[in-house]
Amino acid sequence: MRDAVTSLIKNYDVAGRYFDRNAIDTLKDYFDSGTARVQAAAAINSNAAALVKQAGSKLFEELPELIRPGGNAYTTRRLAACLRDMDYYLRYATYALVAGNTNVLDERVLQGLRETYNSLGVPIGPTVRGVQILKDLVKEQVAGVGIANTAFVEEPFDHITRELSERDV
């Protein structure tokens, strides 16, 4: 897993270049937002179970067919698996948020996930919607602890939804 700093260094090292103005600005932005990233992670960690439960409730309120007979979250086992997956997304999004880099999401979550879900018959659309709901709840949670600019919270969740979403081939 890489963070924003190690990724930047790697890219410049591979190119054999010194840091330019863009690199310095990227590093400055990352370090300037460090305290907010750690505070956001603390807010998420202390409320993770409630966030997942709330996101699941909102998702099933919007898409009640998922929990009806024949729905993908019908039966206790399937519902629990859905909430477990949402918890994974939240946990890894938190890692990426602190790192300032989505690399961990690609390595640990997204690699092969779409294919796995498709082979198991798990619908991608509701999964994407669940991640979007999580993002909105996390932004509210982070704003609630006094972090005014929550834009950095969006990046890991948007990365997950973008990578899972249907693509034109």
Side-chain angles (χ1 to χ4, degrees):
M1 177 174 77
R2 292 186 307 259
D3 60 23
V5 175
T6 56
S7 292
L8 183 81
I9 290 170
K10 179 183 176 209
N11 291 340
Y12 276 77
D13 182 40
V14 167
R17 297 176 32 209
Y18 285 96
F19 290 144
D20 56 19
R21 175 45 79 202
N22 290 337
I24 299 298
D25 289 345
T26 299
L27 289 169
K28 184 178 179 316
D29 290 344
Y30 176 74
F31 288 119
D32 286 348
S33 66
T35 301
R37 290 173 187 279
V38 172
Q39 289 173 330
I44 293 167
N45 292 348
S46 66
N47 296 294
L51 287 165
V52 169
K53 183 178 179 182
Q54 203 176 357
S57 293
K58 284 187 175 204
L59 176 65
F60 300 133
E61 187 178 299
E62 284 183 22
L63 302 169
E65 64 274 9
L66 292 172
I67 54 174
R68 291 188 185 131
N72 209 310
Y74 179 68
T75 74
T76 305
R77 184 180 63 76
R78 285 182 169 185
L79 176 63
C82 176
L83 295 176
R84 177 209 59 213
D85 287 358
M86 289 180 87
D87 187 62
Y88 288 159
Y89 302 139
L90 180 60
R91 182 165 47 97
Y92 280 101
T94 305
Y95 297 162
L97 186 150
V98 171
N101 186 301
T102 58
N103 178 267
V104 68
L105 296 172
D106 296 329
E107 289 177 2
R108 306 282 169 86
V109 178
L110 296 168
Q111 200 170 64
L113 184 63
R114 173 200 288 276
E115 293 78 13
T116 301
Y117 274 8
N118 285 336
S119 71
L120 295 172
V122 175
I124 300 292
T127 302
V128 167
R129 181 63 191 130
V131 172
Q132 291 168 337
I133 292 169
L134 267 175
K135 175 181 78 172
D136 294 339
L137 292 172
V138 167
K139 285 181 70 173
E140 288 174 22
Q141 186 76 40
V142 169
V145 297
I147 299 172
N149 182 2
T150 61
F152 67 92
V153 171
E154 296 178 10
E155 183 182 5
F157 294 98
D158 289 347
H159 184 76
I160 293 169
T161 58
R162 189 173 41 254
E163 291 302 308
L164 282 178
S165 295
E166 296 299 324
R167 301 179 196 155
D168 293 328
V169 178

